[in-house]
Amino acid sequence: MSTATAAHHHDDHPTGIMRWLTTTNHKDIGTMYLTFSLIMFLVGGSMILAVRAELFQPGLQLMQPEFFNQLIGVHALVMIFAALMPAATGFANWMLPLQLGAPDMALPRLNNWGFWLLPPAAILLTAPFILALFGIGDGAIATGWTFYTPLSVQGGIGVDFAIFAVHLLGISSVMGSINVLVTIFNMRAPGMTLMKMPLFAWGWMITAFLLIATIPVLAGAVTMLLTDRHFGTHFFDAAGGGDPILFQHLFWFFGHPEVYILLLPVWGLIPHILSAFSRKPTYGYKAQIYSFWAIGILSVVVWAHHFFTVGLPIPALLYFMYSTMAISLPLAVLFFCWIATMWKGSMTFETPMLFATGWIILFGIGGLTGLILADVAADAQYHHSYFVVAHFHYTLFAGGIMGIMAGVYYWLPKMTGHMYSETLGKLHFWLTAIAFNVTFIPQFFLGLAGMPRRIPDYALQFSEFNMISTIGAFTLGLSQLIMVYNIVRCVRGGKKAEAKVWEGAEGLEWTLPSPPPYHSFTEQPVIK
Amino acid sequence: MAFQFLKKAGMGLMLAVWSLAAHAEYAWNFPKPVTPMAADTLLVHNKFMVIIMVIFVVVLGIMIYSIIRHRKSVGHKAADFTGPSTRSQVIWTLVPFAILLYIDFILMGIPAYHSVVLMEDTKNDSEMVIKVTGSQWRWQYEYMDGEAQGIKFVSNMTTPQEQIQNKTEKGEHYLLEVDNHVVLPVDKKVRILLTSNDVIHTWWVPAFGAARDAIPGFLRETWVKIEEPGTYRGQCKELCGKGHGFMPVVVDAVPEEQFKEWVASKKTEMSAASAGADKEWSKDELLTQGKAVYEKNCAVCHQPGGQGMPPAFPALTGSKIVTAPNFDADGKLMKDSHIDRVFNGKGMMPAWKGTLSDTDIAAVISYERNALGNSMGDLVQPSQIKALR
Ligand SMILES: [Cu+2]
């Protein structure tokens, strides 16, 4: 009783809007990150549904090519920087202190600042759409999310807005990463050595290192772009002694690790779910950590496989091809461990486990198609065709977002103190898994048949597959509303969740009540 | 039961993929290859697809077996192992990785190496050279050597706006048709040099297996040796602005004699055009030709009615440049005059001197000054443009 009163005393905080603006509490900030991520997921999703609607039939029906180009680029930027990354950061905020046995994140004010940079960034990204309605500028960035020069030098104010948005997002990510690293290195419960730390923390640690290593390169590249645009420099202009391909090198030096930045937190959280619902300890804990390291390191030395068709010398082609293929080895170790964790378990399939299982299968397709994309000659065909679009949605939607969804269902009862509706959760999973495949399997065939990506209109032989893909995309999009409803319902109330929500769940977060007290661990737990 | 759905969905998916792959020969795969590079690419692709499908099926099979057998609902008790414990288990654990190593660097790695070497071998035994220049949003072609040397032309998409706007029925080659096809002889190795006037484009014909970027300020190269006569179609596949979806590539591969005939007729056409540049053109002639040139090359940005799309693409109707004189009192071409802008370009406006003939430039300028709501009354003669070169 006395501890409860003491805890209550520390719970004092402003209420209403000031609570959220000034909060330094890791759970409040985590909740804001996750809410922001969910909103932006719906925004980015709506954009691409407009695109898919345009592509339902050949011919231009709904929009002009300029607007189409804006939608595809902003869709990608929003999904990557404003949906997927904040979701992972939201989980880090919520769960790292709980999992490590800490009272809060190490740098709470930095944490608050990191979050509040995101809404302005999201506004910068999307504002040019609205400004264009008032006759200011010609809309948002229309270069795709990759900013390739010289197209981006030529572009309108949307490019400048996107450059500043990327700067803000980058600063936010670096601050988040510093916070994660400081927390991991300093705030672990006594006895929790690094090699006893939960895999989620390990995945996030590598992500944080990668972010700190690569975000400055992106920031530099887009700043050089900015000075090329407005201050007469010629970094990327051959006429002034520059090289447009230099931009691609710099961009993908960030861009390829970015894929693993998005995936590593998910690789960290999935083993927890597999182990909980198989009622069996994680298989190959150390092997998974070493694989994280191997992939993290390899990810910064394979960037040029994103632009084989620019005409690289043979030795460079071979190097980037073989080093890319080498990533399949540590990745295979991870797949092996995931399946071995399930093997001979005592499995049940609640929603988190359904998502985790479906995730392994669909992410597997993303990984395997990535392996053949490494082949330089075949890549000449796949590259910038719909084959690549399908491939990276298997890695980033299935491998990224569906993994995050597994985490949402796994931790939602812990965060809210209520159980979500299992029926709706399962319905959400099945609709998502099926609609996802209906959307993207046809895109593999479209790519093979020769449909380039980022075109607003297409030749008649591509009609049927595009139609199927659009139907799948709308089903996929609408299914997500089930999840939104389920989350809102769960936040509002429902069956009380116990401290240990899942029978097989292991880890410190399950030793605290659901929801956990405002300050997580006021007394540090000791790990034996 | 959830797992049965999963199983059915998984198996159904695999069956679907397999049956699709086995379906009609190339409808689900790359188009029929007509060059050694495309043939090699298809072979490598098919082999790799089989490999990854086998890996997928084996791993999925193991997973599904586990999902069926190791469930709480069938009373399976969880084991508690966390890694291989005996020596033989360690060895068995290493086997899949040995297999993967073999697949990556031998089974896939060696053919992939040979493909790279084949793909990059642009120079050996090449029998002719063409230069492809990408520009927003059309391709230009120039024959660099041999009997065809000097032939050059622009290749614009011909699909009418009415079809794109769904006002009329779409034609058979919707979006994949151009006014001037590139004509290449079959069975000759053609080295293709690529560059660009503005942003990066990618020249791609799927049946050739060749895709290479056209980069402003640099030359890149690829090659084709087309082994079957026919008409082959492709598209730009690097996002290059609003016309990205509308810059197709059409190549006619023809037997040697037919190629020679084409070269001869093209040369006659060109000398006729250059002769035309010396004569005095009437207003009607200039405006008729100018309208055609305008609609093909200028209307995408400046719009068919000349109203443009400000601020990126200024209006020509009432434009300061169009309504100002071209020559000063001494008959010297003025800077930033109408002719200067069309001939030399500036900023987003491409320079047309390398792309259009003297007659076309004279005609289109005359047209812009006397149509689209402008009535300057003056004409520009092809000979005046010729004199600027
Ligand atoms: Cu192009």
Side-chain angles (χ1 to χ4, degrees):
Chain A
M1 202 61 210
S2 63
T3 41
T5 328
H8 186 79
H9 175 72
H10 287 283
D11 279 5
D12 282 346
H13 52 72
T15 49
I17 181 80
M18 284 315 283
R19 168 180 173 183
W20 300 102
L21 278 174
T22 59
T23 184
T24 54
N25 179 280
H26 75 98
K27 296 193 215 58
D28 284 354
I29 294 175
T31 304
M32 290 197 294
Y33 266 108
L34 290 169
T35 312
F36 176 80
S37 156
L38 181 60
I39 292 168
M40 294 314 285
F41 174 57
L42 299 176
V43 170
S46 314
M47 287 177 183
I48 211 62
L49 288 186
V51 164
R52 281 305 334 164
E54 173 57 58
L55 292 172
F56 185 61
Q57 285 182 326
L60 296 178
Q61 284 88 16
L62 304 172
M63 59 186 81
Q64 290 307 304
E66 296 88 326
F67 187 61
F68 180 95
N69 290 350
Q70 294 168 24
L71 283 180
I72 50 169
V74 179
H75 158 75
L77 287 166
V78 163
M79 285 305 202
I80 293 167
F81 288 101
L84 208 39
M85 283 168 77
T89 317
F91 279 150
N93 266 296
W94 247 101
M95 289 302 154
L96 283 182
L98 297 187
Q99 287 193 329
L100 301 176
D104 204 307
M105 293 294 278
L107 307 167
R109 283 188 198 283
L110 190 76
N111 209 4
N112 173 289
W113 192 19
F115 172 77
W116 282 111
L117 284 177
L118 291 181
I123 292 168
L124 279 180
L125 264 184
T126 46
F129 282 123
I130 294 147
L131 290 179
L133 293 179
F134 295 99
I136 305 168
D138 47 6
I141 183 167
T143 64
W145 80 287
T146 49
F147 291 88
Y148 276 8
T149 53
L151 187 63
S152 54
V153 177
Q154 200 183 68
I157 59 163
V159 178
D160 301 312
F161 273 75
I163 289 172
F164 285 111
V166 162
H167 276 307
L168 288 185
L169 293 161
I171 294 168
S172 163
S173 302
V174 170
M175 292 197 301
S177 304
I178 291 172
N179 205 358
V180 164
L181 290 180
V182 176
T183 306
I184 286 175
F185 287 122
N186 296 298
M187 308 277 284
R188 296 191 312 276
M192 185 186 281
T193 59
L194 281 177
M195 292 312 275
K196 281 184 183 166
M197 189 168 74
L199 279 173
F200 178 65
W202 264 110
W204 240 108
M205 184 168 128
I206 312 292
T207 281
F209 278 132
L210 287 176
L211 275 168
I212 292 172
T214 60
I215 287 278
V217 178
L218 174 70
V222 296
T223 307
M224 288 154 82
L225 169 60
L226 191 75
T227 63
D228 265 18
R229 281 171 59 79
H230 297 294
F231 304 110
T233 55
H234 296 105
F235 293 112
F236 309 122
D237 178 6
D243 184 348
I245 303 308
L246 171 65
F247 183 84
Q248 301 190 16
H249 283 281
L250 294 173
F251 182 86
W252 288 110
F253 183 81
F254 150 82
H256 191 75
E258 173 68 14
V259 176
Y260 298 98
I261 286 167
L262 297 168
L263 293 178
L264 274 159
V266 176
W267 296 345
L269 82 85
I270 292 288
H272 293 282
I273 297 174
L274 293 174
S275 152
F277 294 93
S278 306
R279 292 164 184 77
K280 191 169 153 282
T282 302
Y283 182 92
Y285 170 82
K286 281 186 187 164
Q288 293 193 49
I289 293 170
Y290 299 145
S291 301
F292 288 177
W293 276 109
I295 293 172
I297 291 164
L298 280 171
S299 78
V300 285
V301 294
V302 295
W303 70 89
H305 68 219
H306 288 270
F307 46 94
F308 281 147
T309 59
V310 300
L312 297 164
I314 291 181
L317 290 172
L318 293 174
Y319 162 72
F320 284 110
M321 171 168 79
Y322 289 129
S323 58
T324 303
M325 286 178 166
I327 296 184
S328 69
L329 290 163
L331 199 51
V333 174
L334 292 177
F335 273 95
F336 188 96
C337 294
W338 297 330
I339 294 171
T341 303
M342 300 165 78
W343 188 256
K344 290 201 172 164
S346 176
M347 280 185 266
T348 52
F349 288 88
E350 288 85 348
T351 310
M353 185 61 166
L354 280 181
F355 267 98
T357 315
W359 175 89
I360 297 180
I361 297 169
L362 297 177
F363 176 52
I365 296 177
L368 288 168
T369 47
L371 183 59
I372 58 171
L373 273 159
D375 173 47
V376 173
D379 181 76
Q381 295 282 59
Y382 307 139
H383 179 69
H384 278 188
S385 79
Y386 260 84
F387 189 89
V388 164
V389 176
H391 155 74
F392 68 70
H393 281 93
Y394 272 87
T395 34
L396 293 183
F397 187 92
I401 288 177
M402 284 179 70
I404 294 287
M405 286 171 179
V408 167
Y409 286 108
Y410 181 59
W411 281 324
L412 198 57
K414 170 57 62 186
M415 298 194 255
T416 62
H418 305 125
M419 297 304 290
Y420 59 84
S421 158
E422 199 63 67
T423 319
L424 287 179
K426 285 184 174 155
L427 181 68
H428 173 225
F429 168 75
W430 286 109
L431 283 173
T432 302
I434 292 164
F436 172 79
N437 284 300
V438 174
T439 310
F440 291 103
I441 288 178
Q443 297 190 3
F444 279 124
F445 295 118
L446 280 174
L448 296 180
M451 177 165 165
R453 65 188 287 208
R454 294 167 166 169
I455 54 173
D457 192 7
Y458 48 82
L460 300 180
Q461 75 253 32
F462 306 129
S463 304
E464 286 79 12
F465 280 139
N466 268 298
M467 199 171 271
I468 299 170
S469 184
T470 296
I471 293 169
F474 273 86
T475 317
L476 184 61
L478 293 175
S479 313
Q480 303 319 309
L481 298 179
I482 300 172
M483 177 184 69
V484 176
Y485 173 71
N486 207 358
I487 293 175
V488 172
R489 222 176 79 142
C490 179
V491 171
R492 290 247 180 104
K495 204 178 124 228
K496 289 294 288 170
E498 293 159 22
K500 191 169 175 179
V501 179
W502 311 109
E503 188 193 358
E506 295 294 336
L508 289 175
E509 74 258 42
W510 310 105
T511 61
L512 288 174
S514 305
Y518 196 67
H519 290 286
S520 303
F521 285 94
T522 36
E523 250 171 78
Q524 279 196 309
V526 177
I527 311 293
K528 276 163 243 113
Chain B
M1 298 289 280
F3 85 96
Q4 262 162 358
F5 274 116
L6 187 68
K7 183 179 134 200
K8 273 188 200 147
M11 296 306 274
L13 184 77
M14 278 316 298
L15 280 176
V17 172
W18 274 115
S19 66
L20 293 183
H23 195 272
E25 225 178 319
Y26 290 103
W28 305 93
N29 208 332
F30 290 144
K32 187 171 181 295
V34 294
T35 63
M37 197 197 289
D40 174 72
T41 305
L42 179 66
L43 211 71
V44 166
H45 163 77
N46 282 345
K47 183 176 171 186
F48 289 5
M49 281 313 264
V50 170
I51 292 173
I52 65 169
M53 281 189 184
V54 168
I55 299 178
F56 184 74
V57 170
V58 169
V59 175
L60 186 70
I62 294 170
M63 222 173 115
I64 288 172
Y65 173 85
S66 175
I67 289 171
I68 296 170
R69 298 293 300 274
H70 307 145
R71 302 165 65 79
K72 196 182 179 188
S73 58
V74 298
H76 194 271
K77 291 274 177 295
D80 62 353
F81 58 87
T82 59
S85 47
T86 64
R87 202 194 167 101
S88 74
Q89 271 182 18
V90 172
I91 291 167
W92 276 110
T93 316
L94 291 176
V95 168
F97 300 102
I99 295 173
L100 187 61
L101 206 59
Y102 173 76
I103 289 173
D104 275 3
F105 297 109
I106 310 284
L107 210 52
M108 291 171 78
I110 291 178
Y113 169 82
H114 290 294
S115 302
V116 173
V117 173
L118 175 81
M119 195 169 97
E120 295 303 315
D121 180 16
T122 55
K123 296 186 190 73
N124 288 329
D125 317 313
S126 92
E127 291 164 273
M128 67 183 268
V129 181
I130 64 167
K131 183 174 146 199
V132 180
T133 308
S135 63
Q136 286 167 318
W137 291 275
R138 55 186 62 81
W139 295 101
Q140 303 169 29
Y141 298 93
E142 186 174 355
Y143 290 72
M144 305 300 284
D145 59 357
E147 60 209 317
Q149 188 176 10
I151 295 181
K152 63 182 199 176
F153 52 85
V154 183
S155 182
N156 286 293
M157 186 179 80
T158 51
T159 303
Q161 275 297 319
E162 293 80 53
Q163 288 188 17
I164 297 172
Q165 304 296 343
N166 307 302
K167 291 188 189 114
T168 52
E169 188 77 15
K170 294 178 175 36
E172 190 196 349
H173 298 299
Y174 177 67
L175 299 186
L176 298 180
E177 50 199 346
V178 296
D179 48 5
N180 295 311
H181 295 195
V182 193
V183 180
L184 294 176
V186 290
D187 292 324
K188 271 201 171 181
K189 180 165 176 176
V190 183
R191 184 173 166 210
I192 301 174
L193 305 178
L194 294 131
T195 187
S196 163
N197 282 336
D198 34 52
V199 301
I200 301 175
H201 303 268
T202 304
W203 193 83
W204 182 37
V205 179
F208 299 166
R212 183 100 332 164
D213 292 4
I215 300 164
F218 291 88
L219 273 183
R220 293 292 195 261
E221 51 189 288
T222 183
W223 64 280
V224 297
K225 184 177 182 183
I226 308 166
E227 285 161 339
E228 247 174 76
T231 301
Y232 303 102
R233 293 165 202 275
Q235 284 178 272
C236 174
K237 70 166 173 171
E238 176 71 62
L239 178 60
C240 56
K242 72 191 176 88
H244 168 51
F246 311 101
M247 49 183 295
V249 176
V250 182
V251 180
D252 284 339
V254 297
E256 180 75 34
E257 315 83 71
Q258 217 175 315
F259 178 71
K260 287 206 166 98
E261 283 165 29
W262 175 80
V263 169
S265 76
K266 203 77 189 166
K267 292 249 156 150
T268 328
E269 207 178 283
M270 283 170 68
S271 54
S274 94
D278 297 327
K279 72 163 192 169
E280 182 81 9
W281 285 57
S282 76
K283 181 170 179 178
D284 273 359
E285 285 171 328
L286 281 172
L287 294 201
T288 314
Q289 170 121 359
K291 186 168 195 289
V293 176
Y294 181 83
E295 275 160 11
K296 215 182 258 178
N297 298 291
C298 318
V300 194
C301 300
H302 294 295
Q303 302 300 300
Q307 71 272 30
M309 296 173 73
F313 308 112
L316 297 186
T317 312
S319 147
K320 262 192 217 152
I321 293 176
V322 176
T323 55
N326 277 311
F327 298 97
D328 63 14
D330 310 329
K332 248 186 74 191
L333 183 69
M334 289 197 289
K335 196 169 156 32
D336 287 327
S337 64
H338 193 182
I339 293 179
D340 178 43
R341 186 55 43 87
V342 174
F343 198 69
N344 296 314
K346 186 179 183 183
M348 296 262 291
M349 172 75 179
W352 292 95
K353 63 180 166 194
T355 315
L356 295 178
S357 70
D358 299 340
T359 313
D360 284 347
I361 294 179
V364 80
I365 294 175
S366 300
Y367 174 74
E368 288 169 0
R369 296 174 83 80
N370 294 287
L372 308 172
N374 299 322
S375 49
M376 292 297 293
D378 59 350
L379 295 177
V380 176
Q381 287 296 335
S383 51
Q384 289 174 287
I385 304 296
K386 199 174 178 185
L388 295 173
R389 297 204 186 249

